[in-house]
Amino acid sequence: MTDVLDRYFKLKERGTSVGTEVRAGIVSFFAMAYILLLNPLILGTVEDSNGDVLGIPQVAAATALVAGVMTILFGAITNYPFAIAAGLGMNTFVAVTLVMGEGLTWPEAMGLVVIDGIVIVLLAVSGFRSAVFKAIPASMKSAMGVGIGLFIAMIGFVDAGFVKRIPDAAGTTVPVSLGDNGHISAWPTAIFVVGLIICGFMVIRNIPGGLFLGIVITTILAVITESIVGAGSSADNPKGWNLAVPQLPESLGGMPDLSIVGAVDLAGAFVRGGVLATSLLVFALVLTNFFDAMGTMTALGKQANLADEEGNLPDMKKALIVEGIGAVAGGAGSVSSNTVYVDSSAGIADGARTGLANIVTGVLFLLAMFLTPLYEVVPIEAAAPVLVIVGVLMATQITQIDWNELHIAIPAFLTIVVMPFTYSIAHGIGVGFIAYALMTTFAGKAKQVHWLMWLIAALFVVYFAMDPILALVS
């Protein structure tokens, strides 16, 4: 059996083993498991124009199903350790913009997600996505990797309550603070700090499976702490646990409710909102999906040492097609577009190098449909330290950028900082690409800008002006 896995997944060729891939796949799952709690909160409680809601249990089950199937499919076909799940940002766009803002029903909104996925797949099949990948300069690919690293770290800090937003009513020009007024006053955040120290020790001492052990040890500490202090959920206590409360489950779960799977209307949105206005919404979905996945795959490929010197992945076209299918599957499952997940970088940091790690992660997602209480034992505060450490590891790519050339440095810097500041990979890429085209032209080197970079920059200009354009069309 081991020989079969070795031949199929090229384990020895990539310097890994079955044990390492299994362990790293588990790490990826727990680094991503928060989506099984967060996606239902974003999608499951919003009423559409008919007064219908998807329901939290239904969204949780379908989120696990689609993530499990697509993660396994991606690992088996591409042999990359890049897990797939419902994309953050995309789910908010679907709930807030399409359903609440445009007044679409849930089937109509998910129909647009399916169409978005079909367009993404067609762009991948045509070779256009691969061509765009290759047209991006090496400096911008490195900047995307660093920016995503900072973005991951920012997610970890915010989810753990280490960095908090200061309410607008406070009347301060400082938007965020460390903890509460510069102090760590919540037990969950204190556990995060301890977990960060543990994970730092693990990677510095180069302990095999260190990040996995870090999550396990921190979770045990969290369970013990909760049993003593009873902080509870942040929904009831501002100083409680952000998502899952670390306590032993009373039951092992039950049969999942998959009733929302397949509830899709492909034409309804165009009838309700008009062809032109709805087409602009699809454009926004496609552009976000396209570059979120592109930036993530570029960064993960470099982190896993699977990319060449130009940052390109082998068999890229195949991977892009399968990733595009994730958007179709997400829409069909009524859980929003599924895409390559940046948090799978945690598994890569723990040694994942092949699709075998994806198989493990995907199986755990499928099991989560039935064993929901078990994965809820691990709070986000126990997984967040891994995200910060991964951010450190990905930020090392900053040395590959020539900071002495300002026409390279300025767009690279903007790409890096806009991602965490706006909580969006696509926004960082868009600002960076526009800046790259302009700054390179200012330096008298316009001929060095690939025509695809000009096209992408122009598309992002339209994307950033989407609200006034939609208002004009309406």
Side-chain angles (χ1 to χ4, degrees):
M1 184 64 179
T2 302
D3 291 339
V4 173
L5 292 175
D6 181 37
R7 287 195 299 271
Y8 187 85
F9 291 107
K10 302 177 182 178
L11 300 176
K12 291 180 181 177
E13 181 181 324
R14 296 189 182 178
T16 184
S17 66
V18 173
T20 297
E21 295 296 301
V22 170
R23 185 191 66 225
I26 296 173
V27 170
S28 287
F29 172 76
F30 282 113
M32 297 171 59
Y34 67 87
I35 193 61
L36 299 177
L37 303 173
L38 195 55
N39 204 41
L41 294 177
I42 294 173
L43 299 179
T45 59
V46 175
E47 286 190 6
D48 64 14
S49 55
N50 288 338
D52 296 327
V53 295
L54 294 176
I56 288 179
Q58 292 84 351
V59 175
T63 298
L65 173 65
V66 177
V69 171
M70 286 309 308
T71 296
I72 291 172
L73 188 67
F74 193 83
I77 293 177
T78 71
N79 200 24
Y80 294 154
F82 308 163
I84 289 181
L88 284 174
M90 287 294 289
N91 51 9
T92 303
F93 182 86
V94 171
V96 175
T97 301
L98 299 186
V99 176
M100 296 174 64
E102 298 298 323
L104 301 183
T105 65
W106 280 112
E108 290 168 353
M110 293 304 170
L112 293 188
V113 175
V114 171
I115 294 171
D116 153 53
I118 293 172
V119 173
I120 292 289
V121 171
L122 293 176
L123 290 175
V125 171
S126 69
F128 180 77
R129 287 188 89 183
S130 299
V132 171
F133 248 109
K134 295 175 181 177
I136 302 172
S139 63
M140 291 301 293
K141 287 176 179 173
S142 296
M144 287 156 59
V146 177
I148 290 173
L150 296 185
F151 177 48
I152 293 171
M154 188 68 169
I155 291 173
F157 283 132
V158 172
D159 287 350
F162 190 79
V163 172
K164 289 188 176 181
R165 178 181 177 181
I166 298 176
D168 296 335
T172 176
T173 56
V174 181
V176 295
S177 71
L178 186 151
D180 298 304
N181 298 317
H183 304 287
I184 305 300
S185 58
W187 280 107
T189 306
I191 291 297
F192 160 77
V193 173
V194 174
L196 183 57
I197 294 171
I198 292 171
C199 289
F201 171 82
M202 294 290 183
V203 295
I204 289 172
R205 302 295 295 185
N206 200 26
I207 296 174
L211 294 181
F212 173 72
L213 291 174
I215 291 177
V216 172
I217 295 171
T218 308
T219 298
I220 292 173
L221 292 175
V223 171
I224 294 172
T225 301
E226 174 61 19
S227 67
I228 296 173
V229 304
S233 170
S234 59
D236 305 313
N237 174 18
K239 296 184 179 182
W241 303 91
N242 195 13
L243 289 174
V245 177
Q247 53 191 6
L248 298 179
E250 297 179 359
S251 66
L252 294 179
M255 293 300 296
D257 183 347
L258 299 174
S259 58
I260 63 173
V261 175
V264 175
D265 183 349
L266 295 177
F270 293 92
V271 174
R272 184 185 299 272
V275 174
L276 182 57
T278 303
S279 296
L280 287 173
L281 293 173
V282 173
F283 167 76
L285 284 168
V286 170
L287 204 63
T288 302
N289 240 5
F290 190 106
F291 287 101
D292 261 0
M294 177 170 292
T296 301
M297 289 178 66
T298 298
L300 295 179
K302 296 187 75 171
Q303 182 193 4
N305 296 320
L306 298 176
D308 60 23
E309 293 180 357
E310 297 299 319
N312 298 316
L313 292 163
D315 295 325
M316 188 186 306
K317 184 175 180 179
K318 184 195 301 182
L320 293 172
I321 291 173
V322 179
E323 190 278 333
I325 294 173
V328 179
S334 296
V335 295
S336 183
S337 175
N338 273 232
T339 186
V340 170
Y341 234 64
V342 70
D343 303 80
S344 48
S345 56
I348 294 174
D350 208 47
R353 293 295 180 269
T354 75
L356 180 56
N358 256 35
I359 305 298
V360 174
T361 304
V363 168
L364 290 175
F365 269 118
L366 295 180
L367 289 175
M369 289 194 299
F370 305 91
L371 304 175
T372 301
L374 290 183
Y375 71 75
E376 288 183 345
V377 173
V378 181
I380 188 61
E381 289 83 356
V386 174
L387 301 183
V388 176
I389 296 297
V390 168
V392 174
L393 299 176
M394 296 183 72
T396 59
Q397 298 177 45
I398 200 167
T399 58
Q400 301 170 15
I401 301 170
D402 187 354
W403 295 99
N404 294 317
E405 296 288 344
L406 287 178
H407 71 282
I408 293 175
I410 292 174
F413 177 79
L414 291 173
T415 301
I416 290 169
V417 299
V418 169
M419 283 187 191
F421 288 167
T422 64
Y423 247 55
S424 170
I425 294 172
H427 290 170
I429 292 174
V431 171
F433 280 18
I434 294 171
Y436 179 83
L438 292 175
M439 300 304 151
T440 306
T441 301
F442 296 162
K445 300 180 180 181
K447 292 183 179 180
Q448 294 182 9
V449 183
H450 196 286
W451 69 269
L452 280 173
M453 291 293 289
W454 283 110
L455 174 62
I456 296 165
L459 290 174
F460 268 112
V461 169
V462 175
Y463 173 77
F464 288 134
M466 186 62 66
D467 279 351
I469 292 175
L470 279 173
L472 184 64
V473 170
S474 299

